[in-house]
Amino acid sequence: MRRLFGTDGVRGLAGIDVTADLALGLAQAAARVLGRSAREESRRPIAVIARDPRVSGEFIAAAVAAGLASSGVDVLDAGVIPTPAAAFLVANARADFGVMVSASHNPAPDNGIKFFARGGKKLPDEVEDLIEAALTEPKLSPTGREVGRIRRFADAEDRYVVHLLGTLSERLDGVHVVLDCAHGAAAGISPDVFRDAGARVTVIGNSPDGFNINDSVGSTHLEQLSVAVREHGADLGIAHDGDADRCLAIDHEGNVIDGDMIMVILAISMSQRNLLKDHTLVTTVMSNLGLRIAMDNHGISVVETGVGDRYVLEALNAGNYSLGGEQSGHVIISDHATTGDGILTGLQIVAEMVRTGKTLKELASAMTVYPQVLVNVRGVDRSRALNDEVIAQAVTQAELALGENGRVLLRPSGTEPVVRVMVEAREQHTAAQLADDLADVVRARTAL
């Protein structure tokens, strides 16, 4: 049977996959599992709920609130705020858990439900499995005074804004930043935060109507931001996704600064200021080889994880490290956040520009990006790809050909009959040729 929870909560087409009935049931199940400690302490559990501005979030969040309150949980409804704000508020309000209704960078018809444990931390797989199992258990059915209350979390935004500003050690006066809020959850917060910090702000993607979230704007569509930065003569651009847990950037010339470059900039800065625990950065196997070389040049170790910010978080927590993230722009600064926070990341990038007096392009030059070619080989047996001797020999030969000037990664998809072949090399044509050759071998040896 297919697991209900994916790599980041439950997600799908709202009204078909993510229904009001499912939201109600998940909330009731979560009340049983995540509210257990509070009940054992003879007190009523408290939960923070929030959503991004997509229209389906209205009925899904209402169903979640109903499921929680009917299960004896007091609900603090924070309304439309970023995912990292919801995580922060769970800890700040000393709630027992939190619920975020969002499909992140997905298009408007999709939606999702993710849970945070006490302290604003993402749930491990085993706890998600307990919630899924609890869907078939008897529901909690309190009555009278034991029924939960639903209240507006009136100062939710203010608490989060104060928290963000408190992470800065200097003002951002004199820096002109263009913000792309993806018509999402950042729209009501990010521009105010940057202005309060002293930056001059121009905003695009800042008119959410429930249907236009991530539509040709935001971190998955950087073209408009690049144009806006150049047209306004800004120092940089910052792009969020729909729930503002990502940050990608544009330098003053319109060039993309991806998550790898952002991590390099922040890691070097934090290491120089003795803020990088064990001088170690956590990233995934998909990060560019140039990141690893840049970190080695600055005496910074790299811990690699599987693809997905939850695995980065697990490694950060296990090693008590300070910084980690993904090429996609999920950057986790663990001294200030329990999850990726696009607004926080953007603030820290601008702060480093102020501290050093350098442009974003100059800061990003610490990393040389290696050409990276990814080929998806479809219609193949994923498990056979990792155990085939001929494929292993082909990978070894490619690695020998590259030497220290590149790398090879074969990664089976976790959800479909696809094997991803990734090759990095100093020259684009070399990476492309080796990737195509390896893809041919994988296709021939594992075709279904």
Side-chain angles (χ1 to χ4, degrees), residues 4 6 8-20 22-23 26 50-62 64 80-81 83 99-114 210-211 213-214 242-243:
L4 180 62
D8 199 18
V10 177
R11 191 176 294 184
L13 184 60
I16 300 296
D17 303 312
V18 183
T19 63
L22 177 61
L26 279 170
R51 63 182 180 89
D52 71 25
R54 67 191 75 212
V55 66
S56 59
E58 296 173 4
F59 79 77
I60 295 171
V64 168
V80 175
I81 58 171
T83 290
V99 189
M100 182 69 193
V101 177
S102 174
S104 189
H105 59 282
N106 285 26
D110 289 347
N111 217 325
I113 301 170
K114 67 181 86 175
F211 304 98
I213 189 169
N214 301 314
D243 68 336

Side-chain angles (χ1 to χ4, degrees), residues 4-339:
L4 180 62
F5 284 86
T7 56
D8 199 18
V10 177
R11 191 176 294 184
L13 184 60
I16 300 296
D17 303 312
V18 183
T19 63
D21 286 343
L22 177 61
L24 181 75
L26 279 170
Q28 292 170 325
R32 174 179 285 278
V33 174
L34 300 177
R36 183 173 292 127
S37 295
R39 292 192 299 274
E40 289 173 351
E41 296 168 5
S42 299
R43 60 180 180 81
R44 185 177 295 171
I46 299 172
V48 173
I49 67 170
R51 63 182 180 89
D52 71 25
R54 67 191 75 212
V55 66
S56 59
E58 296 173 4
F59 79 77
I60 295 171
V64 168
L68 294 177
S70 67
S71 302
V73 177
D74 283 339
V75 176
L76 295 173
D77 185 354
V80 175
I81 58 171
T83 290
F88 164 76
L89 290 167
V90 171
N92 184 261
R94 298 184 181 178
D96 295 284
F97 62 99
V99 189
M100 182 69 193
V101 177
S102 174
S104 189
H105 59 282
N106 285 26
D110 289 347
N111 217 325
I113 301 170
K114 67 181 86 175
F115 295 94
F116 293 102
R118 189 179 294 182
K121 295 182 178 180
K122 289 192 175 182
L123 304 186
D125 288 348
E126 55 268 25
V127 177
E128 290 181 337
D129 290 340
L130 289 174
I131 293 173
E132 187 168 343
L135 283 168
T136 59
E137 296 178 9
K139 311 305 179 190
L140 300 174
S141 302
T143 59
R145 294 182 180 274
E146 300 307 311
V147 172
R149 305 294 298 270
I150 302 175
R151 295 184 174 88
R152 177 81 174 103
F153 199 153
D155 63 342
E157 286 190 10
D158 291 341
R159 292 192 190 200
Y160 180 53
V161 168
V162 169
H163 159 67
L164 290 172
L165 293 173
T167 68
L168 295 172
S169 56
E170 54 274 300
R171 288 184 56 78
L172 309 183
D173 298 320
V175 180
H176 183 186
V177 56
V178 180
L179 298 176
D180 183 346
C181 296
H183 298 310
I189 293 180
S190 189
D192 289 344
V193 171
F194 277 88
R195 288 190 184 104
D196 288 348
R200 177 185 169 197
V201 177
T202 299
V203 190
I204 65 173
N206 202 44
S207 302
D209 61 10
F211 304 98
N212 59 359
I213 189 169
N214 301 314
D215 186 5
S216 301
V217 289
S219 61
T220 53
H221 303 279
L222 294 170
E223 300 82 10
Q224 287 193 46
L225 181 59
S226 178
V227 170
V229 167
R230 284 173 286 154
E231 283 185 347
H232 290 279
D235 297 299
L236 78 158
I238 296 291
H240 304 304
D241 61 338
D243 68 336
D245 64 353
R246 291 190 189 191
C247 171
L248 293 181
I250 299 291
D251 70 19
H252 70 286
E253 294 182 354
N255 303 306
V256 174
I257 307 299
D258 68 10
D260 284 347
M261 297 176 180
I262 289 170
M263 286 187 286
V264 165
I265 291 168
L266 297 183
I268 292 171
S269 171
M270 292 172 66
S271 179
Q272 290 173 344
R273 293 180 290 140
N274 292 317
L275 298 176
L276 190 67
K277 175 72 185 307
D278 292 341
H279 295 281
T280 297
L281 171 68
V282 179
T283 188
T284 76
V285 293
M286 293 303 292
S287 278
N288 192 273
L289 178 61
L291 176 145
R292 293 159 179 80
I293 293 172
M295 293 296 88
D296 186 58
N297 290 340
H298 287 83
I300 297 171
S301 301
V302 175
V303 172
E304 286 188 356
T305 75
V307 177
D309 67 323
R310 68 182 304 149
Y311 303 114
V312 174
L313 275 165
E314 287 174 3
L316 282 168
N317 292 334
N320 196 28
Y321 298 124
S322 311
L323 181 67
E326 298 183 282
Q327 195 177 68
S328 62
H330 280 116
V331 177
I332 304 154
I333 306 172
S334 59
D335 286 345
H336 303 302
T338 58
T339 188

